[in-house]
């Protein structure tokens, strides 16, 4: 009799029990092993280990179930997810023994045990599974129960459970925790380039909008996404060539119950070029992109000056007070100006440089100066040093983003304003200097928040999703800045205002804690080894932290409110183009048919306002 | 004077007879020239080794007892367990699961005593009553338990040795086996008697691993048990140990049936000389290294495990016997 002929549990000899329970279990295709109850691997209500039957295997992320009986006869079903699997030679203690085993000198059998983190107990009687209990793979409906999918009335697919499509099953998230009903916000961490944070954020938008997971809100929901690196997001409305080349990509979308194709309704915006024509400053795509700018009047009236001073330390310096003072004066001047224009002291300002000069004139601290000082009076007067620092930054800003703030004659401001008319609004920032990027993001977020506040808290208002990468830049852990305040506002009140933040960063440890803590869904791509040890990732536990350092592009770890363990998901390669060369067919074949189709969809979508 | 160590852990004693000067019994002269006229080391030619199976057993006294017999005279009792089994080393080593036998007995010197069934929940441990009329001390009962285990080992060895494609090794001197195969060798871990004289013994420390002494014949009348045809025996060196150990500390004596033709005995001796150094253990790996072979160490662990946890069995006995005793006392 070889070991393979042995009954599953070495302790049950067939002579005593006849056809033992475990032998019967081994006929069952879902059978995987038996609950362990040794000193080292004892079973508890929250975690237990499984002796994996020699002719079966369990791998990480497998979902299993085991039944256990109470003395009163009730049966409890315990569900869990495999989070560790280990193999060893039983009874072997010395390092060199392994070579004796191979040589045929030392008898030792390899055994495999799997550790299971319990996800659900039904009914909720928290007893450990009894050692010897038969562990089976939870498939189909049982898997759904194990992962609480059955309790999700409205759900969306986070991705597939495995890379191998053959046995992959969707992993769902509860939409109620995403769109603000019970919770909101997503936070994604991971190393740039490998963690595919932006791709995943875009994938999430795709499931919501193209997968129409938002139900009746889909038509009126909106998303705002910033393209900060490369041109990845500038072809969202084009199908990916891979859909034709790789049929299995379509299968992956089928498995997720998603259509495979481009986004249907996308508006693209890029900053206007320097010069006199309001053309968008773009790279390989120029058609279908609107150049955006703000008028000097808007800049003055809405107090955008503060978004020029977004360094984290600004708030603590005297400059903040000076900025407030100047903003107030500019607003007053704007109100006195003619419609759509900005005049200061009665003279029209037509460029950002002129505005900068006008401000400087009003900062003369000489008490004999003829112009009224905007630098405050008496105690509140800004020091010469503060004024100099302010001017230095203002002039620096003018260099990088003066061309985004124009006078009314430059172009029709209404057609060059970023408006979320289409479902997805992509704002291309990748050719802008860092300071200009911050300015645009700050202004757009503040505008969005103001707008939603004005609407009031309408019941079931269609949500607006905002994707912000590099949160560590916009909302660093230390210091204050206007953008950080706006983001905090969104994180804390966004749920009731229908503004949902999908934030991403390389290192959550460098981001304002309250922003990360307010996210219902925490998603982790590949992490740096040192970063993975930070307390921000404690929710992952030891094994998951380790796994986070090994994730490959396309794999994410998802932690959501209802499921007590993190889950690994893989999301398919984008079905939309992420660069020009990926567009299906030739450039000419950005097919008229497809184009019409896209427009038709857009026509169906009523405007937000 | 050079002091060198003996490799066994001291609580296991030593592999050598305490009396190094013991002389062979002049009444039972050992035939030293049965293989060769000269007493010199022999290096067997390299050859294929067949698979080998090794039989071994473990025993454990679970609890001593005193029984107030019917006439009021206390009689000794012993709850004991033993397990025997075999391990087979070929391409790979494996415990022969089918060969494992676990026995539990209640040994006693009295007349009729019923079997003892000890229960705890779903588990039941059955101690078969076994009468040892000659036992007058508790230690004698332990000896009886040991003999029962040796009998079982011999029984298993005889059974397994019928497959002659495999070399069968048995722990301890050869005992009378009922219709054994021809390829059975007993290996003696603890040398009780040298059998050869002081002059011949001088060869032993000079043996290298892979060398053996010539065969010698132990006549039927000598040894622990009478055998009709005597036994062939030889010494070999198991392993080159660190020089701090005395070379005699890694010498082992083996024996096989005297009824075999010399050529077959030589073949067995050669095979074991090639094989045993590979199977021997190193100090640190086993407390009785190098004599306790690696597969045997693993077999013993398995067998001990199959006897059940010692504390658990003792706990069962205390609870069950204690309950009966209380019932008897307070009846």
């Amino acid at each position: 009799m070889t070991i393979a002929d042995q009954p599953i549990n070495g302790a049950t000899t067939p002579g005593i029990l006849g056809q033992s329970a475990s032998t019967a279990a081994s006929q069952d295709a879902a059978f995987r092993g038996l609950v362990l109850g040794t000193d080292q691997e004892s079973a508890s209500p929250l975690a237990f280990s499984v002796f994996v039957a020699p002719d079966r295997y369990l791998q990480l992320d497998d979902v299993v179930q085991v039944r256990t009986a109470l003395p009163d006869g009730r049966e409890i079903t315990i569900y869990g997810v495999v989070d560790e699997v280990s193999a060893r030679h039983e009874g072997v203690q010395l390092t060199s023994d392994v070579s004796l085993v191979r040589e045929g000198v030392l008898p030792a059998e390899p055994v495999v045990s799997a550790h299971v983190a319990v996800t659900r107990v039904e009914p909720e009687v928290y007893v450990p599974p009894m050692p010897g209990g038969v562990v089976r793979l939870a498939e189909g409906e049982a898997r759904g129960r194990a992962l609480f999918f059955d309790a999700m009335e409205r759900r969306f697919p986070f991705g597939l459970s495995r890379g191998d499509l053959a046995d992959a099953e969707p992993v769902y998230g509860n939409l109620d925790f995403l769109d603000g009903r019970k919770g909101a916000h997503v936070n994604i961490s991971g190393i740039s380039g490998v963690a595919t944070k932006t791709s995943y954020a875009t994938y999430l938008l795709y499931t919501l909008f193209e997968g129409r997971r938002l139900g009746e809100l889909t038509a009126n929901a909106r998303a705002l996404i910033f393209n900060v690196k490369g041109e990845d997001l500038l072809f969202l409305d084009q199908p990916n060539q891979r859909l034709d080349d790789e049929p299995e990509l379509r299968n992956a979308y089928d498995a997720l119950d998603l259509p495979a194709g481009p986004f249907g309704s996308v508006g693209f915006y890029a900053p206007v070029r320097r010069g006199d024509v309001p053309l968008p400053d773009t790279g390989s795509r120029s058609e279908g992109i609107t150049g955006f700018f703000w008028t000097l009047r808007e800049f003055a009236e809405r107090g955008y000056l503060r978004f020029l001073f977004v360094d984290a330390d600004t708030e603590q310096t005297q400059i903040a007070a000076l900025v407030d003072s100047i903003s107030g004066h500019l607003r007053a001047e704007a109100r006195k100006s003619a419609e759509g224009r900005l005049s200061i002291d009665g003279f029209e300002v037509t460029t950002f440089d002129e505005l900068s000069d006008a401000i400087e004139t009003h900062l003369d601290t000489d008490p004999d100066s003829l112009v009224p000082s905007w630098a405050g009076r008496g105690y509140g007067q800004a020091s010469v040093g503060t004024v100099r620092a302010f001017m230095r930054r203002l002039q620096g800003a003018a260099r990088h983003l003066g061309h985004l703030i124009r006078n009314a004659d430059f172009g029709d401001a209404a057609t060059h304003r970023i408006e979320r008319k289409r479902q997805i609004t992509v704002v291309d920032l990748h050719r802008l200097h860092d300071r200009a990027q911050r300015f645009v993001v700050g202004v757009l977020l503040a505008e969005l928040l103001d707008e939603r506040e004005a609407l009031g808290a309408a019941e079931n208002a269609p949500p607006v999703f905002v994707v912000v990468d590099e949160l560590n830049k916009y909302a660093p852990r230390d210091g204050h800045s206007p953008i950080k305040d706006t983001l905090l506002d969104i994180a804390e009140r966004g749920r009731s205002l229908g503004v949902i933040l999908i934030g991403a960063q390389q290192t959550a440890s460098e981001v304002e804690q309250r922003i990360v803590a307010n996210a219902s869904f925490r998603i982790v791509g590949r992490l740096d080894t040192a970063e993975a040890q930070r307390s921000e990732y404690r929710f992952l536990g030891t094994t998951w932290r380790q796994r986070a350092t090994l994730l490959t592009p396309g794999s994410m770890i998802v932690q959501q409110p209802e499921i007590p363990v993190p889950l690994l998901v893989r999301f398919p390669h984008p079905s939309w183009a992420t660069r020009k060369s990926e567009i299906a067919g030739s450039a000419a074949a950005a097919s008229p048919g497809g184009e019409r189709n896209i427009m038709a969809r857009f026509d169906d979508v009523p405007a937000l306002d | 004077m050079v002091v060198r160590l003996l490799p066994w852990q001291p609580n296991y004693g030593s592999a050598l007879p305490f009396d190094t000067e013991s002389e062979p019994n002049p009444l039972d002269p050992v035939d030293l020239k049965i293989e060769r006229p000269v007493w010199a080391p022999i290096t067997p030619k390299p050859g294929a080794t067949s698979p080998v199976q090794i039989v071994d057993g473990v025993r454990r006294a679970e609890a001593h007892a005193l029984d107030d017999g019917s006439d009021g005279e206390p009689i000794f009792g012993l709850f004991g367990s033993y397990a025997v089994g075999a391990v087979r080393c070929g391409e790979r080593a494996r415990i022969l699961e089918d060969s494992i036998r676990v026995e539990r007995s209640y040994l006693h010197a009295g007349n009729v005593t019923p079997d003892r069934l000890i229960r705890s929940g779903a588990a039941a441990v059955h101690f078969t009553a076994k009468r040892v009329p000659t036992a007058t001390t508790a230690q004698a009962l332990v000896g009886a338990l040991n003999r029962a285990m040796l009998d079982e080992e011999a029984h298993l060895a005889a059974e397994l040795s019928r497959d002659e494609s495999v070399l069968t090794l048995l722990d301890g001197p050869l005992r009378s086996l009922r219709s054994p195969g021809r390829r059975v060798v007993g290996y003696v871990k603890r040398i009780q008697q040298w059998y050869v004289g002081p002059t011949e013994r001088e060869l032993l420390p000079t043996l290298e691993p892979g060398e053996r002494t010539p065969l010698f014949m132990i006549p039927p009348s000598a040894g622990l048990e009478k055998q009709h045809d005597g036994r062939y025996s030889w010494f070999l060196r198991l392993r080159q140990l660190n020089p701090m150990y005395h070379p005699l500390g890694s010498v082992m004596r083996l024996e096989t049936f005297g009824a075999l033709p010399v050529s077959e005995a030589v073949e067995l001796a050669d095979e074991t000389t090639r094989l045993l150094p590979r199977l021997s253990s190193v100090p640190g790996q086993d407390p009785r290294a190098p004599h306790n072979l690696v597969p045997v160490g693993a077999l013993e662990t398995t067998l001990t495990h199959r006897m059940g946890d010692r504390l658990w069995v003792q706990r069962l006995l205390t609870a069950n016997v204690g309950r009966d005793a209380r019932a008897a006392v307070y009846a």
Side-chain angles (χ1 to χ4, degrees):
Chain A
M1 190 181 202
T2 66
I3 279 296
D5 306 327
Q6 284 288 301
I8 302 311
N9 183 347
T12 40
T13 40
I16 295 165
L17 290 180
Q19 175 81 350
S20 68
S22 48
T23 314
S26 66
Q27 314 293 322
D28 176 0
F31 171 72
R32 287 297 178 272
L34 301 169
V35 175
L36 266 171
T38 59
D39 283 352
Q40 291 84 30
E41 292 171 300
S42 53
S44 87
L46 302 180
F48 59 90
S49 293
V50 184
F51 166 66
V52 182
D55 58 341
R56 305 295 164 95
Y57 70 91
L58 275 176
Q59 60 172 321
L60 291 180
D61 307 323
D62 273 344
V63 183
V64 297
Q65 56 179 335
V66 55
R67 295 210 172 88
T68 199
L70 294 180
D72 62 13
R74 271 188 300 161
E75 202 171 65
I76 311 291
T77 308
I78 297 167
Y79 300 95
V81 176
V82 175
D83 63 1
E84 186 69 293
V85 188
S86 48
R88 60 184 180 277
H89 268 141
E90 207 160 33
V92 164
Q93 287 178 347
L94 304 182
T95 308
S96 58
D97 282 352
V98 65
S99 94
L100 293 182
V101 173
R102 258 193 84 98
E103 283 167 30
V105 172
L106 183 66
E109 294 301 327
V111 289
V112 177
S113 66
H115 186 265
V116 175
V118 172
T119 55
R120 189 172 187 174
V121 182
E122 247 186 5
E124 283 195 44
V125 180
Y126 282 86
V127 293
M130 282 301 141
V134 171
V135 178
R136 306 172 68 240
L137 204 61
E139 295 163 306
E141 216 179 293
R143 178 175 175 276
R145 271 198 302 280
L147 301 177
F148 292 90
F149 296 161
D150 61 329
M152 297 177 185
E153 267 177 47
R154 301 157 67 236
R155 60 192 195 180
F156 63 99
F158 265 124
L160 291 168
S161 60
R162 294 255 169 70
D164 184 12
L165 197 61
D167 57 356
E169 293 184 77
V171 172
Y172 295 103
N174 192 341
L175 197 60
D176 286 352
F177 284 96
L178 183 61
D179 71 358
R181 293 192 189 188
K182 292 178 180 166
H185 310 314
V186 178
N187 187 271
I188 309 175
S189 304
I191 303 175
S192 282
V194 200
T196 51
K197 300 189 293 284
T198 312
S199 301
Y200 191 64
T202 321
Y203 162 80
L204 282 182
L205 294 182
Y206 186 81
T207 66
L208 298 174
F209 286 94
E210 299 311 313
R212 307 191 75 80
R213 294 307 150 112
L214 290 168
E216 73 278 13
L217 296 178
T218 309
N220 286 325
R222 292 292 181 269
L224 174 62
I225 180 163
F226 299 100
N227 182 64
V228 280
K229 274 169 278 178
E231 295 182 337
D232 299 7
L233 299 176
L234 296 186
F235 304 98
L236 290 184
D237 57 347
Q238 303 294 323
N240 196 308
Q241 179 64 39
R242 282 207 195 194
L243 282 176
D244 297 331
D245 300 346
E246 300 168 21
E248 59 271 28
L249 184 55
R250 272 184 197 281
N251 296 342
Y253 279 90
D254 281 348
L256 289 162
D257 193 21
L258 291 174
F263 281 85
S265 166
V266 192
F268 296 97
Y269 293 88
V272 291
R273 297 180 192 194
R274 292 165 200 274
D276 298 330
V277 197
L279 284 176
D281 184 10
T282 57
S284 53
R285 174 172 181 162
S286 50
E287 73 282 2
I289 298 189
T290 310
F292 71 85
F293 66 89
W294 286 274
T295 62
L296 286 157
R297 168 72 176 244
E298 287 166 338
F299 180 83
E301 205 164 27
R302 300 182 187 170
Y304 290 164
L305 181 68
R306 64 197 154 108
F307 292 110
L308 295 181
F309 301 87
V310 291
D311 295 331
D313 58 351
T314 311
E315 218 46 19
Q316 284 160 10
T317 66
Q318 298 294 318
I319 292 181
L322 185 56
V323 168
D324 281 349
S325 162
I326 295 168
S327 292
H329 286 286
L330 284 180
R331 200 173 293 124
E333 293 290 330
R335 291 210 188 97
K336 285 187 275 177
S337 309
E339 179 68 28
R341 293 175 184 276
L342 175 66
S343 302
I344 291 175
D345 305 327
F347 295 98
E348 188 178 352
V349 181
T350 61
T351 65
F352 192 80
D353 285 336
E354 285 177 27
L355 176 65
S356 169
D357 290 344
I359 292 172
E360 190 171 18
T361 318
H362 283 277
L363 293 181
D364 193 342
T365 46
D366 181 354
D368 300 331
S369 168
L370 293 175
V371 286
S373 170
W374 291 355
R377 297 228 173 264
Y379 294 120
Q381 188 175 20
S383 69
V384 180
T386 306
V387 169
R388 279 203 194 122
F390 171 85
M391 281 314 298
R392 202 166 55 240
R393 291 180 194 208
L394 183 63
Q395 279 150 7
R399 220 170 25 250
H400 296 304
L401 56 82
H403 64 290
L404 297 182
I405 296 150
R406 301 295 188 115
N407 78 336
D409 300 329
F410 178 61
D412 178 7
T415 59
H416 292 281
R417 189 173 293 141
I418 297 177
E419 284 185 328
R420 296 178 304 278
K421 281 196 171 135
R422 307 211 179 180
Q423 286 183 326
I424 312 285
T425 300
V426 178
V427 180
D428 179 25
L429 303 176
H430 84 282
R431 292 164 87 94
L432 284 180
H433 182 267
D434 183 51
R435 292 195 66 173
Q437 288 187 359
R438 292 191 209 204
F439 174 76
V440 175
V441 171
V443 167
L444 288 178
L445 291 182
E447 274 181 355
L448 171 62
L449 210 54
D450 289 348
E451 190 186 299
R452 299 299 289 210
E453 269 177 342
L455 275 179
E459 192 68 14
N460 279 349
V464 178
F465 296 89
V466 189
V467 181
V468 181
D469 199 354
E470 296 185 50
L471 272 183
N472 49 321
K473 191 163 93 183
Y474 297 111
R477 173 150 297 188
D478 303 312
H480 290 273
S481 79
I483 298 189
K484 182 173 169 181
D485 291 345
T486 311
L487 284 168
L488 257 176
D489 223 13
I490 292 177
E492 286 171 348
R493 296 194 302 134
R495 194 187 139 195
S496 52
L497 293 173
V499 181
I500 315 298
L501 178 66
I502 301 179
Q505 66 280 321
Q506 281 211 56
T507 50
S509 57
E510 289 176 9
V511 175
E512 167 61 39
Q513 272 168 312
R514 282 177 289 169
I515 290 181
V516 180
N518 267 302
S520 290
F521 298 93
R522 298 207 203 159
I523 296 169
V524 167
R526 178 139 170 175
L527 287 181
D528 174 74
T529 315
E531 175 70 10
Q533 299 308 316
R534 308 290 292 255
S535 62
E536 281 72 20
Y537 306 95
R538 207 165 277 161
F539 67 91
L540 288 178
T542 321
T543 43
W544 283 97
R545 288 192 205 196
Q546 228 169 350
R547 288 183 71 185
T549 64
L550 300 173
L551 289 180
T552 50
S555 296
M556 310 299 265
I557 299 171
V558 172
Q559 169 77 55
Q560 55 176 316
E562 285 171 310
I563 307 183
V565 294
L567 297 176
L568 182 86
V569 299
R570 285 189 61 87
F571 64 99
H573 192 276
S575 55
W576 53 93
T578 60
R579 63 182 86 97
K580 194 162 193 171
S581 59
E582 275 184 351
I583 297 173
S586 65
S591 58
E595 196 83 51
R596 207 165 32 244
N597 207 356
I598 290 166
M599 295 311 288
R601 283 186 87 155
F602 168 57
D603 288 341
D604 287 340
V605 177
L608 181 62
D609 35 4
Chain B
M1 281 254 291
V2 184
V3 174
R4 278 174 288 181
L5 300 178
L6 291 175
W8 283 23
Q9 298 278 321
N11 47 341
Y12 286 91
S14 116
L16 297 175
F18 295 111
D19 182 4
T20 49
E21 298 304 314
S22 78
E23 291 302 316
N25 189 339
L27 294 177
D28 301 305
V30 168
D31 181 356
L32 295 167
K33 298 194 162 67
I34 193 157
E35 185 186 1
R36 302 231 170 139
V38 191
W39 184 255
I42 293 173
T43 309
K45 282 196 221 58
T49 38
S50 64
V52 58
Q53 53 197 7
I54 312 169
V55 177
D56 198 12
V58 295
R59 61 168 170 78
R60 189 170 68 201
E62 308 283 10
H64 289 281
L66 263 188
D67 186 348
D68 293 329
S70 47
D71 54 356
E73 189 70 22
I75 10 177
F76 282 111
L78 172 69
F79 289 94
S81 314
Y82 68 81
V84 301
V87 57
R88 186 169 174 150
C89 304
E91 280 288 295
R92 49 193 291 267
R94 62 192 173 86
I95 309 272
L96 300 176
E97 294 285 340
D98 274 359
S99 72
I100 295 181
R101 267 152 240 184
V102 180
E103 286 294 329
R104 298 181 199 281
S105 331
Y106 176 64
L107 302 145
H108 63 99
N111 294 322
V112 191
T113 305
D115 290 358
R116 299 270 178 165
L117 187 66
I118 309 289
R119 288 185 173 283
S120 165
V125 181
H126 189 113
F127 285 88
T128 318
K130 210 172 255 177
R131 214 173 146 246
V132 191
T134 52
T136 50
T137 63
Q139 201 49 45
L141 290 174
V142 176
L145 178 66
N146 197 37
R147 274 196 303 283
M149 178 194 78
L150 292 176
D151 288 345
E152 189 75 50
E153 277 182 26
H155 183 70
L156 179 60
E159 192 182 303
L160 290 174
S161 68
R162 281 171 210 143
D163 178 0
E164 293 186 355
S165 64
V166 186
L167 175 67
T168 305
L169 289 182
L170 180 57
D171 182 18
L174 277 183
R175 301 157 58 84
S176 40
L177 307 187
R178 201 185 306 155
S179 57
R182 300 172 78 86
R183 289 165 38 83
V184 185
V185 175
Y187 66 95
V188 183
K189 288 201 293 282
R190 203 184 297 265
I191 299 175
Q192 299 287 357
Q193 211 179 338
W194 288 115
Y195 291 107
V196 295
T199 329
E200 286 80 25
R201 285 212 294 275
E202 282 169 17
L203 180 65
L204 301 186
T206 68
L207 286 175
E208 292 290 321
E211 290 181 347
R212 62 172 174 90
T213 63
L215 296 183
F216 54 95
M217 175 66 91
I218 304 171
S221 53
L224 299 169
E225 250 178 67
K226 300 248 187 286
Q227 298 229 345
H228 285 299
D229 304 298
R231 292 162 286 156
Y232 293 103
S233 185
W234 63 98
F235 290 94
L236 58 79
R237 177 88 184 280
L238 281 174
R239 188 173 266 279
Q240 189 80 52
L241 295 181
N242 186 304
M244 72 182 179
Y245 294 112
H246 197 282
L248 267 186
S250 49
V251 166
M252 185 184 248
R253 190 176 71 80
L254 298 95
E255 55 184 43
T256 187
F257 303 114
L260 295 174
V262 180
S263 61
E264 280 185 33
V266 165
E267 215 168 276
L268 287 177
D270 285 354
E271 207 172 328
T272 53
T273 309
R274 286 192 298 262
L275 181 70
L276 285 185
R278 270 188 59 209
L279 300 185
S280 68
S281 46
V282 288
Q285 198 175 30
D286 193 290
R288 284 176 294 168
H291 295 80
N292 208 31
L293 307 178
V294 170
V296 174
L299 175 63
E300 285 176 346
T301 308
T302 305
L303 293 177
T304 308
H305 181 63
R306 292 294 168 87
M307 283 196 297
D309 183 67
R310 173 184 208 123
L311 290 176
W312 180 73
V313 175
Q314 277 179 357
R315 165 83 182 67
L316 271 184
L317 280 169
T318 333
N320 281 264
V321 178
R323 195 164 48 223
D324 293 350
R326 271 197 305 279
V329 168
Y330 297 115

